[in-house]
Amino acid sequence: MADDLQRRGVCVVTVRCTAGAPPRITVSVRLDVDDPGSETRREAGTNRQIVAQVSEFLRKLGVPE
C-alpha cells in the first residue's frame, strides 16, 4: 500500500522569552508521529543550531535539499 511507504514527522521550535533573560529555545523532533518514543528534544542557543537541527530532521525524512 502507498500509505505504508509514507513517513510523517513533526518538528516544533519553541521559544520562551522571560524578561531580563536570554530566550530559551527548544527544538522537539518526532520522526514518526505514531511513535512517541521517537521524540527528541534539544536546547538550541543560536539560530545556526536551530537551522541545523531542522535540516537534520528533514534529511532523515528524505526531503530533498
Side-chain angles (χ1 to χ4, degrees), residues 30-64:
R30 187 181 289 185
L31 290 175
D32 180 351
V33 295
D34 298 318
D35 179 12
S38 72
E39 184 171 343
T40 60
R41 291 181 190 195
R42 295 186 208 158
E43 296 286 320
T46 66
N47 185 39
R48 184 172 291 177
Q49 290 173 326
I50 296 165
V51 171
Q53 290 177 26
V54 172
S55 293
E56 177 185 348
F57 163 77
L58 294 172
R59 268 193 306 279
K60 286 181 178 180
L61 287 177
V63 176

Side-chain angles (χ1 to χ4, degrees), residues 5-24:
L5 300 176
Q6 183 180 18
R7 296 182 71 184
R8 296 179 301 145
V10 176
C11 181
V12 177
V13 177
T14 305
V15 181
R16 291 188 179 105
C17 298
T18 304
R24 184 171 170 208

